[in-house]
């Protein structure tokens, strides 16, 4: 049963790929995936493998797979195909010469011919085209950032996508999907990676900014019917710089996250300080905020933690914020800050 299951799966894949095995039949596969090139020979009985020869070739008469005298022969196969092509023996006996091609690359996008010889005479032949495709990455829309931007001024927009195959079609539309005016000049350049064979595409357009103007670009892969849209660039009268929907400067995100982490650390340490019941020793009082600070060994331990975790450059930023908190939380947040100050400047408390 375990030996029969792979054969059944392979046969189903062949039937799916061979919905129309007439000459000129095409098969589409994705880069890195697998493709089944169908070729079925109707026989009345089992094929004698010892007297059979099978070749899968591509122009100009190069070999992608060879089966001679009852076994595959890698020595005749082009190096690009070695280890990637197979025809199961269990299927070959039944007249199923379909080729399984693994780990597809752009170079596999060619026309293939299958030749079957029985007792040194050609008994059957198949011909089909393998189309390779690769999906593109979502296009990124960017704009030139000049010193001035206003209604009636030109704006240069650029759209970039990569990692796809074959070469795409780039379209520029407004937010509603309507094409831009006929007088809009569009420049599109496509470059193919010399190693992977995948395409990088860059398209640019120059428009005149006006209130309500919205523009987006799209990349279309016709082979797999893939359409990807960019974010929308929109201009309004209140804009003083180039606006993007859903855009956010990365440096602001880093700043917000860093500040949040520091505040959280200070808050946790403050809670530990206030809940400690080992307050003993000399106490000093901040008269302005009515907060008592313990300078005992335990208090100094927590204060030292605050000192190590809190950069001095952010103390002046965090302390005013702590004073604006509700009275129930003010002491918990302000305490580690005063500890921090006392360690840096003991004479100030």
């Amino acid at each position: 049963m375990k030996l029969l299951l792979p054969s059944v799966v392979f046969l189903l894949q062949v039937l799916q790929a061979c919905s129309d095995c007439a000459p000129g039949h095409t098969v589409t596969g994705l880069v890195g995936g697998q493709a089944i090139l169908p070729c079925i020979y109707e026989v009345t009985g089992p094929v004698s493998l010892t007297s059979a020869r099978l070749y899968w070739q591509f122009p100009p008469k190069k070999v992608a797979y060879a089966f001679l005298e009852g076994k595959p022969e890698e020595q005749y196969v082009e190096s690009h195909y070695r280890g990637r092509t197979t025809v199961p023996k269990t299927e070959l006996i039944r007249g199923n010469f379909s080729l399984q091609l693994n780990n597809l690359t752009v170079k596999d996008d060619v026309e293939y011919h299958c030749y079957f010889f029985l007792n040194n005479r050609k008994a059957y032949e198949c011909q089909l085209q393998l189309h390779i495709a690769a999906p593109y990455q979502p296009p990124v829309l960017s704009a030139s950032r000049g010193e001035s931007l206003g209604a009636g001024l030109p704006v240069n927009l650029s759209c970039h996508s990569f990692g796809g195959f074959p070469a795409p079609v780039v379209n520029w539309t407004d937010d509603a999907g309507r094409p831009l005016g006929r007088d809009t000049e569009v420049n599109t350049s496509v470059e193919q990676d010399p190693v992977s064979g995948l395409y990088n595409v860059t398209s640019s357009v120059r428009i005149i900014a006006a209130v309500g103007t919205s523009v987006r670009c799209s990349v279309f892969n016709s082979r797999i019917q893939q359409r990807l849209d960019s974010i929308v660039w929109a201009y309004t009268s209140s804009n003083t710089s180039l606006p993007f929907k859903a855009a956010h400067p990365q440096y602001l995100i880093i700043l917000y996250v860093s500040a949040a982490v520091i505040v959280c650390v200070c808050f946790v340490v403050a809670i530990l300080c206030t809940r400690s019941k080992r307050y003993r020793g000399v106490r000093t009082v901040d008269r302005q905020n009515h907060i008592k600070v313990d300078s005992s060994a335990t208090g100094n331990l927590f204060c030292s933690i605050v000192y190590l975790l809190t950069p001095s450059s952010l103390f002046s930023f965090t302390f005013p914020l702590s004073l604006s908190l509700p009275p129930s939380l003010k002491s918990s947040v302000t305490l580690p800050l005063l500890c921090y100050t006392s360690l840096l400047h003991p004479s100030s408390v």
Side-chain angles (χ1 to χ4, degrees):
M1 183 65 180
K2 292 183 178 180
L3 295 177
L4 181 61
L5 184 58
S7 298
V8 173
V9 173
F10 182 78
L11 181 59
L12 291 175
Q13 291 175 326
V14 172
L15 294 176
Q16 182 179 6
C18 194
S19 59
D20 179 15
C21 289
H25 175 66
T26 61
V27 175
T28 301
L30 297 178
V31 170
Q34 178 191 93
I36 302 294
L37 309 185
C39 184
I40 300 177
Y41 175 46
E42 295 183 3
V43 294
T44 56
V47 176
S48 175
L49 299 184
T50 56
S51 59
R53 287 183 293 146
L54 178 67
Y55 299 97
W56 276 93
Q57 297 181 337
F58 60 97
K61 294 185 177 181
K62 294 184 178 181
V63 179
Y65 179 82
F67 186 91
L68 305 172
E69 299 179 353
K71 62 180 180 179
E73 293 290 350
E74 288 280 328
Q75 58 180 326
Y76 300 109
V77 177
E78 290 293 319
S79 59
H80 176 66
Y81 288 89
R82 289 178 186 173
R84 298 196 301 125
T85 56
T86 182
V87 176
K89 276 189 177 182
T90 54
E91 297 300 323
L92 201 155
I93 295 175
R94 303 174 185 177
N96 182 3
F97 308 142
S98 302
L99 180 70
Q100 178 177 313
L101 180 55
N102 302 314
N103 194 19
L104 297 174
T105 69
V106 170
K107 293 181 180 180
D108 300 328
D109 193 319
V110 294
E111 186 179 69
Y112 292 87
H113 295 261
C114 176
Y115 301 99
F116 175 67
F117 295 86
L118 191 60
N119 297 321
N120 294 324
R121 302 179 68 176
K122 186 168 72 172
Y124 196 64
E125 177 181 351
C126 292
Q127 175 184 343
L128 55 85
Q129 173 73 40
L130 175 60
H131 285 164
I132 301 297
Y136 281 88
Q137 296 299 312
V140 177
L141 181 61
S142 59
S144 60
R145 295 181 175 271
E147 295 182 358
S148 60
L149 175 65
L153 297 180
V155 180
N156 296 315
L157 301 177
S158 177
C159 179
H160 177 70
S161 183
F162 63 94
F165 188 87
V169 176
V170 180
N171 293 311
W172 289 90
T173 62
D174 60 15
D175 195 9
R178 296 183 293 265
L180 301 182
R182 295 183 179 180
D183 56 343
T184 304
E185 182 179 355
V186 177
N187 296 312
T188 302
S189 62
V190 179
E191 296 181 356
Q192 189 172 24
D193 187 279
V195 178
S196 66
L198 302 179
Y199 284 100
N200 300 327
V201 58
T202 301
S203 182
S204 60
V205 65
R206 185 179 179 89
I207 64 172
I208 303 300
V211 176
T213 299
S214 61
V215 179
R216 67 155 42 121
C217 69
S218 64
V219 175
F220 180 68
N221 188 331
S222 60
R223 188 160 291 180
I224 55 176
Q225 298 299 302
Q226 178 202 37
R227 178 190 173 94
L228 296 174
D229 294 327
S230 71
I231 61 174
V232 176
W233 181 91
Y235 174 79
T236 61
S237 59
S238 60
N239 292 132
T240 56
S241 60
L242 296 183
F244 283 92
K245 292 184 178 180
H248 203 346
Q250 293 183 356
Y251 72 91
L252 287 181
I253 297 177
I254 296 175
L255 177 61
Y256 294 155
V257 172
S258 301
V261 170
I262 293 172
V263 171
C264 289
V265 169
C266 291
F267 184 75
V268 171
V269 175
I271 293 177
L272 294 177
C273 285
T274 55
R275 291 188 176 184
S276 176
K277 296 182 179 180
R278 298 179 58 189
Y279 277 23
R280 296 292 186 272
V282 181
R283 295 187 176 182
T284 58
V285 179
D286 181 357
R287 297 180 179 178
Q288 181 178 357
N289 297 285
H290 304 287
I291 300 173
K292 295 181 180 181
V293 181
D294 194 338
S295 59
S296 64
T298 304
N300 284 334
L301 174 61
F302 289 116
C303 294
S304 298
I305 295 176
V306 179
Y307 171 75
L308 293 175
L309 296 179
T310 309
S312 59
S313 60
L314 290 176
F315 175 76
S316 60
F317 167 75
T318 312
F319 186 76
L321 292 179
S322 66
L323 297 180
S324 62
L325 295 175
S328 58
L329 297 177
K330 181 185 299 184
S331 60
S332 298
V333 176
T334 311
L335 177 59
L337 300 177
L338 291 177
C339 291
Y340 177 78
T341 305
S342 64
L343 287 172
L344 287 180
H345 307 287
S347 60
S348 62
V349 291

